[in-house]
Amino acid sequence: MRHLLGTDGLDPAVATQVLDSAETMKQTLLGREVRKLPTLRGRTVITVFYENSTRTRVSFELAGKWMSADVVNVSAGGSSVGKGESLRDTALTLSAAGADCVVLRHPSSGSAHRLASWLDGTGTAVINAGDGMHEHPTQALLDAATLRERLGDIAGRRVAIVGDVLHSRVARSNVHLLAALGAEVVVVAPPTLLPAGIDSWPVTVSHSIDAELPAVDAVMMLRVQAERMHGAFFPSAREYSVGFGLTEARAALLAEHAVVLHPGPMMRGMEIAAPVADAPSSAIAEQVRNGVHVRMAILYHLLAAGAEEGQQ
Amino acid sequence: MTEQDAGGHEESGRSDDAPPVVPTGAGRSAGGDGPRDRGSVLITNAVPYGEGDPVDVLTVNGVIAEIGPVGSVRASGEATDVLDAAGGVLLPGFVDLHTHLREPGREDAETVRSGATAAALGGYTAVFAMANTDPVADNALVTEHVWRAGRQVGLVDVHPVGAVTVGLEGAKLAELGTMAGSAAAVRVFSDDGHCVDDPLIMRRALEYSTALDAVIAQHAEEPRLTAGAQAHEGERAARLGLAGWPSSAEESIVARDCILAAHAGARLHVCHVSTEGTADVLRWGKPRHPSGPAAISAEVTPHHLLLTDERLTGYDPVNKVNPPLRTSSDAAALADALAEGVIDCVATDHAPHAVQDKDAEWAAARPGMLGLQTALSVVVRTMLRPGLLDWRGVARVMSERPAEIARLPDQGRPIEVGEPANLAIVDQDAEWTVRGAELASIASNTPYEGMRLPAKVRATVLRGRVTARDTATSPTEG
Amino acid sequence: MAPHTRGAGETAGQRELLTAEDVARTIARMAHQVIEKTALGSAAASPVVLLGIPTRGATLAARLAERIRTFSGVEVPYGTLDITLYRDDLRHHPTRPLEHMEMPGEGVDDRVVILVDDVLFSGRSVRAALDALREHGRPRAVQLAVLVDRGHRELPIRADYVGKNMPTARDEDVAVQFDEVDGRDSVLLNQARAGGADTAAAGGERHEGEGDRT
């Protein structure tokens, strides 16, 4: 693995290795007073966020620091990034400054791919921390780690992904990864929030959450942005919540072992009821915790190796 | 071309008392060149339309003077030029209804001179320069500047396209009559890059244009359906997370405009048809026009014939274009429609962009690709080689129909004695590798980089003057 | 030198240094040494924990524990200590998979921890193991047991229990094989390839990170 740009096409064996490593990381750090490994001493990780995301940025920062990497955060606000410098120039600058790894969050789909192509030959690894509506592979990996922890195994499990699949990079990354790991995926959304050509995805499509919940081992609620109403994707927040929100009554349809996931940030009352988010079936807090370990594992796989002729 | 020629022409076109909506038409024909002796060119061993035995063709003073068996034609006195066609195909010079020359405003990407050079090398003798320059060609001042710049370069007839609405904003009609009556004698109006989406404005533009014998060239894209659109709405875009540009956004506008044009009795030209559905809409709409099917015309670009959205994987914005690359079934349907005549012609939508506008993340990159020097090769590959068109058909879609649509009296003419000597010589057996850096455009954003393409224009003749000659490569190359 | 007869497990470029019987005998001797040195079973003795460094060090630790139980009747807890995250040579190799870590429930605090590895070479693995061990608690003492000491130390590290000292050339390669992992017990010497200081195993399976930890 030279970069982590997406889960589409990611070798399931590599994904499993990363998940295994994440588990080891978690175990290694469990109950320690000093959460510090020397593994990435002298390595530099630069996070570049063109969109705000405290959750993801902090998770990467902790992952890097717990492995003794030097972590530098660049955000679009106070830098040349905000002054109209092109992404290409920013990338080349960071690489020239000695970044071993650039973690990129960017509103434009494919920006991580572009970054990787511009940095080709520099030895700088690229991690996609969310590109537009395309992918968010580290989120999918941490979701998979959480599911593995809760359910034991992913293969053969049935997972519902509910909500704004059309605009969701989390949904795309999860669909590819879960399918590659052998899960059955069902996406549940109003027709307006499903992408064209979803028939070709390794999923089944449903418009009824009630019909799907009893048979799933996990349900992943996607964030719904209220501003989507302006694009006439759905009539009102109320109607969305009534039709697709995970209410307490709906949560009762879930099997006892079923897990509730949400990538955050949550709109309590919109796509998920507050008591459901806080119930024991909810793994939302574990997702955040696992996020650090999974990102440590990813950094380990990308950076703690020599010049390997690698596939992406 | 000398400045004196242009000046002389200008006088005839811009007399102050000329009624603004009654164009003189002075800018439309070879007449603007004046009676100056243009010498003669002897083209030897050429096969007109790729049919029959090779012939020699002699042009004198910009007109075809003699056509005869090889060896039978003698240059009378001082032949200024001899072109050995070496058995190549002789076609009427090509006419491109859709070119972006970027002057004024973005001379770092293309100028009239560099664009005209590319056009001549691509076999073109006339190009239409789109109005989305900076400032916009929505007034006679800009259209005349472009017209004059083209005459000064003299490599290809550069006809400015006038904007339909002021600033391409779609709100207020531009002064179409003034532009039509200017030296540039504008006959094609388009807001290309933007759709004239307001049905009332479109209706009025169509109606108004009938008095000018002009055509409204529509960039068919319903803007509400393509807000933020980045790629053809379908499987590929969904996977890549690129906001979709649905086929319906094009098809609904074309359907509407066919109806509006029929009502107004006006001529409509549909730019860069990109979907199978649009071809169907045209098939339905053309016969319904009261003036006959020819009143509604359409073009397809070479890239929509050859390339598909499969190229988007990897997000290289060299493949970003508007309308977007579609599916292979669209491309096949477009080729069929072109062969059938439902789509009238091929237009390049040649769109040069500076490196920084292309070598960016997908959403930030500008849409468009170079096309002038590769158009013929792509048409040969997609239309001629599969047997969808013969060379007559190529002449029709690259030269004759566009000249008719744009009302150019001396372009797209038959290769006959007495006709204007606007000609292209094509080596149909050549094969070449496209290199953006080697193309004449200042920009190098060709999507065909590194691709092997068939056929090459060996020489171009504009009114009896050789404007391009492929000396760098020999016919046996490849 | 007497002509060498190729042993059962040898291929071209390999020499078998220890046969299966040699390996068994060597481990038994090491077990006796441990019992003696730590005074196992006596009232005054500190409790002992064996921690193997994956993969074959872990196997060796399990075997030693079994021998010790047989010889002394004392149940010595054993586990594995993955040192990958503490290595200083990660950048010189392709990504190493992280090994499973199993700490005995008793922990390491106030115990005599015996680190167990198959081959002692530069000493860098042991240094990494000492770093890793520190994160798990504060042993009373740390000792080192290895099946083969092949020399070429780069750090001031010495083993307390050595199965066999084997002088080697630096560019040779010592490969320990255990039945549990490799299907048989053996210790092989892979001879240097002509001109190649960067020795790879000539024939046979090369176990990443095993034997020659540089």
Side-chain angles (χ1 to χ4, degrees), chain C residues 9-30:
Chain C
E10 296 182 38
T11 57
Q14 281 188 332
R15 200 149 60 81
E16 189 167 40
L17 300 176
L18 297 181
T19 64
E21 299 83 66
D22 296 337
V23 169
R25 212 169 23 248
T26 307
I27 294 174
R29 188 170 59 246
M30 289 172 74

Side-chain angles (χ1 to χ4, degrees), chain B residues 388-412:
Chain B
L388 290 166
L389 288 178
D390 54 14
W391 285 107
R392 283 265 173 202
V394 172
R396 186 181 84 234
V397 303
M398 299 283 286
S399 176
E400 295 160 10
R401 273 302 285 150
E404 287 166 23
I405 292 163
R407 299 288 194 255
L408 296 182
D410 69 334
Q411 297 280 352

Side-chain angles (χ1 to χ4, degrees), chain A residues 166-167 192-193 225-235, chain B residues 224-225 227:
Chain A
L166 175 62
H167 299 98
T192 45
L193 292 178
Q225 290 165 295
E227 56 265 32
R228 297 294 178 210
M229 277 180 288
H230 304 312
F233 289 103
F234 52 89
Chain B
R224 290 281 288 155
L225 291 177

Side-chain angles (χ1 to χ4, degrees), chain C residues 31-122:
Chain C
H32 283 298
Q33 287 170 352
V34 170
I35 293 165
E36 185 181 338
K37 184 158 180 169
T38 60
L40 263 185
S42 72
S46 298
V48 170
V49 172
L50 299 176
L51 288 182
I53 298 172
T55 305
R56 289 169 188 75
T59 310
L60 182 57
R63 294 243 193 128
L64 275 174
E66 187 274 326
R67 292 283 86 191
I68 290 169
R69 188 178 61 235
T70 306
F71 299 147
S72 70
V74 178
E75 197 77 50
V76 177
Y78 63 93
T80 59
L81 180 70
D82 184 31
I83 60 163
T84 312
L85 294 169
Y86 296 85
R87 300 184 69 94
D88 61 3
D89 62 347
L90 289 169
R91 292 164 78 162
H92 306 296
H93 298 276
T95 310
R96 295 166 186 267
L98 298 184
E99 303 286 347
H100 204 61
M101 188 110 97
E102 265 175 46
M103 272 294 140
E106 295 85 346
V108 297
D109 283 343
D110 272 332
R111 288 168 181 270
V112 174
V113 171
I114 304 180
L115 295 174
V116 182
D117 205 356
D118 54 351
V119 178
L120 179 58
F121 182 31
S122 68

Side-chain angles (χ1 to χ4, degrees), chain A residues 8-9 86-88 106 108-111 113-114 118 131-135 172 176 195-198 200-202 230, chain B residues 224 233-244 313-318 355-356 358-364:
Chain A
D8 192 358
S86 77
L87 178 61
R88 184 173 185 276
H106 197 280
S108 171
S109 298
S111 47
H113 277 82
R114 294 295 285 158
W118 291 321
D131 63 326
M133 311 188 309
H134 179 223
E135 283 229 39
R172 278 173 182 74
H176 298 308
I198 193 153
S200 70
W201 293 22
H230 304 312
Chain B
R224 290 281 288 155
E233 182 174 296
E235 206 177 295
R236 177 77 39 179
R239 202 143 173 138
L240 294 174
L242 295 171
T313 310
Y315 299 93
D316 186 345
V318 79
V355 173
Q356 69 271 21
K358 272 297 190 185
D359 198 8
E361 59 274 25
W362 184 271

Side-chain angles (χ1 to χ4, degrees), chain B residues 23-37:
Chain B
T24 63
R28 311 303 300 165
S29 76
D33 284 326
R36 194 168 60 95
D37 178 43

